[in-house]
Amino acid sequence: MASQAPPNFWGDMPEEEYYTSQGVRNTKSYFETPNGKIFTQSFLPLDSTSSKLKGSVYMTHGYGSDAGWLFQKICINYATWGYAVFTADLLGHGRSEGLRGYLGDMEKVAATSLSFFLHVRRSEPYKELPAFLFGESMGGAATMLMYFQSDPDAWTGLIFSAPLFVMPEDMKPSKVRLFLYGLLFGVADTWAAMPDKKMVGKSIKDPEKLKIIASNPRRYTGPPRVGTMRELARVCQYIQDNFSKVTAPFLTVHGTDDGVTCPSSSKLLYEKASSVDKTLKIYDGMYHSLIQGETDENVTLVLKDMREWIDERAQKYGPKN
């Protein structure tokens, strides 16, 4: 008889016990939006009074993933640094509503998560604190759309981990295939019919971490949907065309051996953004999943760079006591 997978990535330890051992408090809830109900989580330092918090961070996971599995490691790290962290499963992902793995309207997907993030960001404990958007992989594209949909001064800074702004050539959907499906007047949009490029294997360097990520029961494992690939190609071009509209301070990080999102995503953002305060970190030999899938030594390096960056900006741009 096959052994049952543990309920969480860390094994069988009860959730509250695990989070306490990591120095954080976790809450889970659903948030109602006009586009459907989304699953949300918060991660707060155990000793989190608003006077002690450095700021708040709003995190978005990548394609096919969710915020409730290994992505939590990123949330937990930021919370232990003194930040209130909030995250939501994108529509069509994890425990949020929507067709699994379908991103036919990225503007709507981004706006849905943004409605939750702004609801929290404007609430009493957090409205005066520095606030940062964080996006990993395709979540980086969603995060950039959220930024474009927000007031210019809504966010203190942006953090991108291997963002999807430029698709590698071998990941791009065939224009001929999209054209032919397009002749069906939208009928094919939700079909899981696009070639599966096996992105997870290209993302994770550490084989043990690959096993953990692959065991996520909520991960979307079907072939990409027609509308999802069409929309991701469109959004990448849209973001590239609007890099100059980025004025917020940002940090973007990428590995040179990323086979899922081009390192040029981060380089072009750095070159073309209008931000005065901008930072680019390129890590030689690292794969796509810099925090969830690299060796512990590499993960420590990336997190150290992120912590230095956000702590400096929270202090620099935060309220002066």
Side-chain angles (χ1 to χ4, degrees), residues 232-268:
L232 289 179
R234 182 193 72 80
V235 163
C236 282
Q237 189 57 55
Y238 172 77
I239 290 173
Q240 290 172 45
D241 291 343
N242 287 278
F243 276 147
S244 63
K245 292 181 181 171
V246 178
T247 57
F250 69 81
L251 166 69
T252 187
V253 301
H254 236 109
T256 58
D257 291 357
D258 191 328
V260 178
T261 64
C262 282
S264 57
S265 294
S266 288
K267 291 173 183 172
L268 284 171

Side-chain angles (χ1 to χ4, degrees), residues 1-301:
M1 189 169 127
S3 60
Q4 187 147 354
N8 291 296
F9 75 86
W10 61 78
D12 295 308
M13 183 188 290
E15 285 192 356
E16 192 173 342
E17 193 180 325
Y18 173 76
Y19 292 126
T20 301
S21 76
Q22 300 297 302
V24 301
R25 279 185 294 122
N26 169 265
T27 60
K28 298 174 171 65
S29 61
Y30 284 90
F31 186 78
E32 292 279 359
T33 81
N35 303 318
K37 201 188 302 184
I38 57 174
F39 177 75
T40 73
Q41 293 190 85
S42 71
F43 298 83
L44 301 175
L46 281 177
D47 59 347
S48 62
T49 59
S50 57
S51 61
K52 284 187 177 180
L53 286 170
K54 298 175 183 176
S56 56
V57 186
Y58 304 83
M59 296 195 168
T60 301
H61 61 81
Y63 167 76
S65 181
D66 71 329
W69 201 248
L70 210 54
F71 186 79
Q72 292 181 99
K73 289 290 282 184
I74 308 174
C75 305
I76 290 167
N77 273 288
Y78 275 70
T80 62
W81 302 342
Y83 295 88
V85 178
F86 301 89
T87 184
D89 290 353
L90 292 167
L91 284 176
H93 288 70
R95 285 170 269 193
S96 290
E97 292 184 348
L99 180 64
R100 300 299 85 191
Y102 181 57
L103 298 166
D105 182 348
M106 281 287 288
E107 303 287 352
K108 182 174 88 171
V109 169
T112 304
S113 290
L114 179 63
S115 66
F116 167 65
F117 292 162
L118 287 175
H119 170 77
V120 177
R121 196 255 182 281
R122 291 167 177 159
S123 66
E124 193 50 55
Y126 309 110
K127 62 183 181 183
E128 301 301 329
L129 291 174
F132 300 84
L133 288 175
F134 175 104
E136 180 183 56
S137 190
M138 182 277 293
T143 295
M144 187 64 88
L145 293 180
M146 291 180 215
Y147 172 70
F148 289 149
Q149 291 172 6
S150 302
D151 293 334
D153 58 349
W155 305 106
T156 309
L158 313 171
I159 303 169
F160 299 106
S161 180
L164 175 65
F165 302 147
V166 180
M167 280 186 173
E169 283 303 317
D170 65 340
M171 300 292 291
K172 286 181 180 175
S174 154
K175 288 182 180 174
V176 172
R177 189 183 285 261
L178 287 179
F179 172 75
L180 292 173
Y181 282 133
L183 295 177
L184 299 173
F185 301 103
V187 171
D189 214 49
T190 58
W191 290 1
M194 299 299 282
D196 190 348
K197 308 289 183 160
K198 305 295 179 193
M199 289 188 288
V200 172
K202 297 179 179 183
S203 301
I204 314 298
K205 181 181 278 186
D206 186 310
E208 290 306 310
K209 291 174 183 174
L210 177 57
K211 285 181 198 170
I212 295 170
I213 285 179
S215 67
N216 180 356
R218 292 181 293 273
R219 188 169 67 87
Y220 176 70
T221 55
R225 298 186 187 276
V226 173
T228 295
M229 295 308 292
R230 169 190 48 73
E231 185 68 347
L232 289 179
R234 182 193 72 80
V235 163
C236 282
Q237 189 57 55
Y238 172 77
I239 290 173
Q240 290 172 45
D241 291 343
N242 287 278
F243 276 147
S244 63
K245 292 181 181 171
V246 178
T247 57
F250 69 81
L251 166 69
T252 187
V253 301
H254 236 109
T256 58
D257 291 357
D258 191 328
V260 178
T261 64
C262 282
S264 57
S265 294
S266 288
K267 291 173 183 172
L268 284 171
L269 170 62
Y270 180 77
E271 289 166 11
K272 297 190 173 183
S274 301
S275 309
V276 175
D277 179 351
K278 49 187 177 179
T279 306
L280 168 68
K281 296 273 184 182
I282 300 290
Y283 300 102
D284 192 40
M286 290 198 203
Y287 281 22
H288 176 63
S289 190
L290 295 169
I291 303 171
Q292 299 179 64
E294 280 291 327
T295 62
D296 289 350
E297 183 184 9
N298 286 348
V299 172
T300 300
L301 172 62

